[in-house]
Amino acid sequence: MHLTTKRLGVPFAAAVLGLASFGGAATAATHHAATKTYTIAYEGPLSGGNQQLGLNMAYSVQLAIQQANAGKTFGKLPFKLAYKAADDQGSATQSPTTAQSLIGDKSVIAVVGPAFSGATKAAEPLYHAAHLATVSPSATLPALADSGWNNFFRVVADDDAQGPADALYAAKKLHVKSVFAVDDASAYAVGLVDAFAKRAKQLGIKVTHQEAPGTTQCQAGNGNVQQYGALATDIVSSKANAVFYGGYYCDFALLAKAVRAAGFTGYLMSDDGSLDPHYVAQAGAAIADGTYLSCACTNLGNTPAAKAFSTGFRKLAGFPVGTYSAEAYDATNTVIAVLKKLGARATRPAVVAGLHKVIYTGLTKVVHFQPDGNIAGSSVYEYQVKGGKIVELGMVSKLVK
Amino acid sequence: MCFTQNFWSLLISGLADGFLYALIALGYTLVYGVLQLINFAHSEVFMSGGFAGYFVLQATLGSHTTSGWGSVGYVALGIAAGAAGGGVVAFLLERVAYRPLRRRKAPRLAFLISAIGASYFLYNIAGKEFGHNALEIPAPFTNLPWFSIFGAPVQAYYVVIAIAAISMLLLVDRVVSSTKLGKGIRAVAQDAETASLMGVNINRIISQTFVLGGLLGGAAGFLFGLNAGVVYTMGFTPALKAFTAAVLGGIGNVRGAMLGGLVLGIAENLPMGCVQTAWRDVIAYGILAIVLLFRPTGILGERLGRAA
C-alpha cells in the first residue's frame, strides 16, 4: 500500500472509542468448553500515524467472526471462533515481535494481515516457520509473493496489476492509439507508470513517457505548478489521444486543467492515488468529467450482502467502512470457509493447505489464490468521473471482454 | 527543430509565468533596495494574498457565478483583496519581525533568521487553520483555449495575468520614478543616513516599501491561486523563483526585477520543446549561473537609487 499519511486523517474520538472496545472483544467467546475454539488474529497498525487504516480492517475481522459465531454467514459451525488483535503499528521493526506473540498463542489458527507490506516482509519468515497462514487484505508490494512463503496469501491485487490493467483498458475499451504517460517521480508512480508503459507497448499503443515531479503546492515533491503549462503543450503536440498520470489527485488536477486549457481533447486517466473526491473539487467538475481512474479496490455496491456489511460495520466500529475494510472482511471469511471445511480437525498446516484450494465468493471478488499467494485473476477496477461524482464502472478484466 | 515546434505556445506560457515572477520579484527588490536585506517571509505575503482573495470572494459571492463584465469585476475584486491581504501582512511583518531588530541594531544574520521564523510561523498557521488540501477559487472564465496566436492556443487565464500584471508593473514604475514616496524610497536606497538628515522619515519609508511590495505580492498570490488553488505551501516555489528573477535582473533594481521575471519565465518554458519537464529547473538555474558569471550584479545590475 502506498498511501500518504495525509490521506489517513484519524478522527480522534473514533480512534479512542475503537481502542476502548478492543479489550472486551478479545476475551469474548471462550466459554463453550465443550466445543473447540479457534482464534483468528489480526495484525496491523492499531496505534500510530496509520491507525485509521488499521482500524478500518480490524473491525471487519471482528465483525466477520461475530457473524460466523452467530450462525449468520456460514450456518451452524462445529466450533467457536475467537478474535485477537495484535498491534504492529504498521512498522517493520515492530512486526516480528507481534508475529512471535501470535505464533506463541497456540489457539491462533490463522492471521488476517499483516496490513502493511514492510511489516509483512519482516514477519513472514517467522509465520512461515510456524506454518501459520497469513491472509493480507492490503499488502501490495509485488515482491512479497516471490519469496517462496507457502503460507502467504493476499486478497488484494499487487502494484504490478494496476498499471497493466490500465493499459488493457486504454487499448481494448478506449481504443487509444497513442498515450502520453506522466509520473510524479515518486517510487509508487514510477513503478506503476513503467508497468503501464510496458503493457501498453505490447498492446500496440505508442507511448511517450515524461517525469514531472510532484509540486510543492501539493506537498508531493519539489516541482513547480508552472511546469504544467509547458508539459501540456508537449502533450498536445505529441498528438496522443490519452494522458495517463501516475501520482496523486492534487497534481493530477493541475495537469488536467493545464492540458484542457492547451486544447487537449483526449482521455484523461490516472491511478488509485487520484481516486479521491478532491480531484474533482480541485480540477472542477467540467474538467474532471469523463476522467478514468483505476484502483485494486472496489465500491461495495448495493447488494444486500454489501449493505448488511456496511450497516454491521458502522454499528460495531462507530464509523463508516473505509479503505480495505471490505477486503479484510473477505480475507476473514475466506479463512472461516476453510475452517468450516476442516471442522474440528483444523491445524495450522491444514489451514495453509486449505487456503491453496479455497474458492470463496466474497464482497469484493471471488477469492481464489494462485500458488504464490496472489489473488487469481486481475481484480483492478475502473472508475469514471460522471457529473462531478466518481462512479465505478466495474472490473477491468470484465469490461474489456 | 524542437525549439521552433511549439515556439509560440511555450513563449506564451513563458510570458505568463514571467509576469507572475515579476510581480513577486518586485517585493524582494524593493525591500532589498531600502534595507539591503532579503525578506524571506515574502513567500507568505504571497500566500496571504491568495487566501485573502479566496475568502473575500467566498464572502461576497459564495457560489454565485459571474459572466461578461461581472467576471472582470470578480477578478478585480480578487486582485484588490489579495493585494490588501498581502499589504497588511507585509506591514505587520515589518513591524514585528524587522523594526524591533533595527531599533536594537541587531546583526544582519538576526534579520535573516527573524524572516525565516516569520515565514515558518505564517505558513504553519495557515496549514493548521485552512487545511492541507488546496482551496479552489472558481475561475469566472473558460478553461478551454480562448483564441490563438500563430496557431498557439491562448487561455483566458493568461490574458488575465498579462493585463493585471502589465497594469501593476507600469503603476509601480511610475510610483518609484515620480511620486514623493518613490523619491523617498530612492533616497533611502542611495544613502539612508543622508536621507534622514534631509528630513526623510526612514521608518515610514521602509514601512511603505514593505506595503508596496506586499500589495504586488498579494495580488500575484491571488492570480496564482486563481489557477492552482490556495494552500499553505503555495508560496514556496513561486517565491524562490521570483527571488531568482530579482537576482537575475539585478537585485534592488525595479526594472531589473520585471525583466528578470520575464527572462526566467521564458527560459523555463522555451527549452521544454526539446527536453523533459524534469529538466526545467536544471536549465533555468543553469542560465542563472551563466548570466551571473558574466554579469555578477544581474542583467541590469544597478541599485534602486539610480534606477528608474
Side-chain angles (χ1 to χ4, degrees):
Chain A
M1 130 185 354
H2 298 282
L3 295 162
T4 55
T5 46
K6 74 181 173 190
R7 294 174 64 202
L8 306 170
V10 180
F12 184 69
V16 170
L17 281 173
L19 287 180
S21 65
F22 273 116
T27 53
T30 50
H31 299 297
H32 294 257
T35 48
K36 203 161 178 179
T37 298
Y38 298 127
T39 300
I40 298 177
Y42 165 72
E43 187 196 322
L46 299 170
S47 61
N50 293 315
Q51 179 193 38
Q52 184 61 46
L53 204 52
L55 293 174
N56 285 348
M57 301 180 228
Y59 283 112
S60 291
V61 179
Q62 206 182 339
L63 180 65
I65 290 171
Q66 282 182 6
Q67 289 176 338
N69 276 336
K72 283 182 195 166
T73 40
F74 289 90
K76 192 165 163 34
L77 295 171
F79 49 78
K80 277 277 165 198
L81 293 170
Y83 168 69
K84 182 169 185 166
D87 180 14
D88 65 8
Q89 299 179 335
S91 132
T93 45
Q94 179 64 39
S95 179
T97 317
T98 311
Q100 203 56 60
S101 77
L102 292 179
I103 291 164
D105 181 344
K106 291 296 166 209
S107 76
V108 174
I109 196 86
V111 176
V112 174
F116 283 18
S117 292
T120 308
K121 198 174 172 184
E124 213 55 46
L126 298 172
Y127 285 128
H128 180 240
H131 308 292
L132 184 54
T134 64
V135 186
S136 178
S138 55
T140 55
L141 184 74
L144 292 175
D146 303 336
S147 307
W149 301 313
N150 72 336
N151 63 316
F152 167 81
F153 303 91
R154 59 179 152 203
V155 298
V156 65
D158 70 7
D159 288 338
D160 281 350
Q162 198 182 160
D166 284 316
L168 191 68
Y169 192 79
K172 302 279 181 198
K173 193 78 186 171
L174 306 178
H175 308 292
V176 168
K177 298 276 174 276
S178 167
V179 67
F180 200 106
V182 179
D183 71 68
D184 75 353
S186 68
Y188 156 64
V190 170
L192 188 81
V193 173
D194 281 348
F196 168 84
K198 196 174 150 203
R199 186 82 182 96
K201 280 177 194 155
Q202 285 170 359
L203 290 162
I205 300 177
K206 180 176 170 255
V207 182
T208 316
H209 184 177
Q210 269 212 26
E211 190 160 272
T215 60
T216 52
Q217 170 92 354
C218 295
Q219 304 120 48
N222 57 5
N224 186 7
V225 174
Q226 264 87 4
Q227 70 191 9
Y228 294 119
L231 180 58
T233 301
D234 280 0
I235 290 172
V236 171
S237 78
S238 77
K239 304 261 191 293
N241 55 340
V243 168
F244 180 80
Y245 184 74
Y248 295 97
Y249 59 86
C250 177
D251 275 303
F252 183 46
L254 295 170
L255 177 64
K257 279 197 206 182
V259 291
R260 288 295 186 226
F264 177 76
T265 52
Y267 297 112
L268 292 172
M269 303 178 74
S270 186
D271 53 25
D272 61 329
S274 299
L275 185 70
D276 192 302
H278 281 108
Y279 164 64
V280 184
Q282 290 176 9
I287 298 289
D289 252 24
T291 304
Y292 291 96
L293 304 164
S294 68
C295 185
C297 59
T298 174
N299 277 334
L300 284 172
N302 286 322
T303 62
K307 274 188 195 155
F309 166 65
S310 302
T311 319
F313 184 96
R314 190 175 197 127
K315 209 166 144 198
L316 181 68
F319 58 87
V321 291
T323 306
Y324 294 121
S325 291
E327 281 78 5
Y329 186 73
D330 280 353
T332 314
N333 279 327
T334 305
V335 170
I336 299 172
V338 169
L339 288 173
K340 187 185 177 186
K341 211 161 194 185
L342 294 170
R345 295 166 291 111
T347 59
R348 287 176 176 179
V351 171
V352 171
L355 281 166
H356 277 288
K357 283 179 277 184
V358 76
I359 297 176
Y360 169 76
T361 306
L363 290 177
T364 61
K365 56 185 77 79
V366 175
V367 179
H368 176 45
F369 298 108
Q370 297 174 31
D372 63 2
N374 273 333
I375 192 86
S378 173
S379 46
V380 176
Y381 294 78
E382 200 65 36
Y383 294 75
Q384 191 179 21
V385 182
K386 286 181 178 171
K389 292 244 178 329
I390 299 174
V391 182
E392 185 181 317
L393 300 175
M395 202 186 278
V396 171
S397 53
K398 285 187 185 159
L399 291 170
V400 297
K401 269 182 190 155
Chain B
M1 174 62 192
C2 54
F3 261 112
T4 53
Q5 202 180 9
N6 294 308
F7 179 82
W8 290 102
S9 288
L10 294 170
L11 182 68
I12 289 164
S13 52
L15 284 171
D17 293 353
F19 280 129
L20 267 185
Y21 293 156
L23 283 178
I24 312 167
L26 279 170
Y28 284 108
T29 244
L30 286 167
V31 168
Y32 185 87
V34 293
L35 282 180
Q36 280 80 51
L37 279 173
I38 300 302
N39 177 14
F40 276 111
H42 195 53
S43 48
E44 273 53 59
V45 171
F46 172 83
M47 173 199 77
S48 311
F51 277 110
Y54 171 82
F55 285 117
V56 166
L57 286 177
Q58 282 290 308
T60 52
L61 287 163
S63 55
H64 183 77
T65 51
T66 57
S67 60
W69 286 106
S71 298
V72 176
Y74 178 99
V75 174
L77 177 63
I79 291 175
V88 169
V89 170
F91 175 78
L92 293 175
L93 200 62
E94 195 270 330
R95 279 298 166 101
V96 175
Y98 286 93
R99 191 170 292 192
L101 294 178
R102 223 168 53 240
R103 199 168 286 155
R104 287 174 183 76
K105 303 215 180 331
R108 303 182 76 78
L109 207 53
F111 287 85
L112 184 75
I113 297 304
S114 178
I116 291 174
S119 167
Y120 269 77
F121 175 84
L122 286 169
Y123 98 86
N124 279 304
I125 266 202
K128 196 100 193 63
E129 284 304 304
F130 309 133
H132 292 190
N133 275 307
L135 303 170
E136 229 27 49
I137 302 177
F141 41 75
T142 171
N143 194 273
L144 301 174
W146 203 24
F147 58 89
S148 54
I149 298 175
F150 299 111
V154 179
Q155 46 175 314
Y157 175 60
Y158 286 168
V159 178
V160 169
I161 288 187
I163 293 174
I166 291 171
S167 339
M168 283 188 274
L169 293 177
L170 287 176
L171 197 68
V172 169
D173 199 57
R174 294 298 297 162
V175 166
V176 175
S177 64
S178 47
T179 62
K180 197 172 167 208
L181 169 64
K183 260 182 213 162
I185 291 176
R186 281 181 288 137
V188 174
Q190 267 178 10
D191 187 339
E193 256 176 64
T194 314
S196 103
L197 288 174
M198 301 292 183
V200 175
N201 184 340
I202 295 186
N203 275 336
R204 200 167 74 206
I205 290 292
I206 288 174
S207 183
Q208 285 170 345
T209 307
F210 265 88
V211 172
L212 186 60
L215 292 171
L216 296 164
F222 171 77
L223 286 171
F224 176 90
L226 198 50
N227 172 53
V230 292
V231 68
Y232 74 119
T233 47
M234 66 186 278
F236 188 75
T237 325
L240 197 62
K241 292 287 167 77
F243 173 52
T244 308
V247 173
L248 187 64
I251 187 106
N253 184 319
V254 170
R255 286 179 182 168
M258 299 180 189
L259 183 68
L262 290 173
V263 169
L264 183 66
I266 292 168
E268 277 189 351
N269 280 272
L270 274 193
M272 291 303 112
C274 300
V275 296
Q276 300 223 341
T277 306
W279 283 94
R280 188 182 172 98
D281 287 353
V282 178
I283 290 175
Y285 285 94
I287 290 171
L288 174 78
I290 290 168
V291 168
L292 292 184
L293 267 182
F294 290 100
R295 285 195 68 89
T297 52
I299 301 172
L300 295 187
E302 291 152 301
R303 287 175 49 226
L304 182 62
R306 268 177 249 127

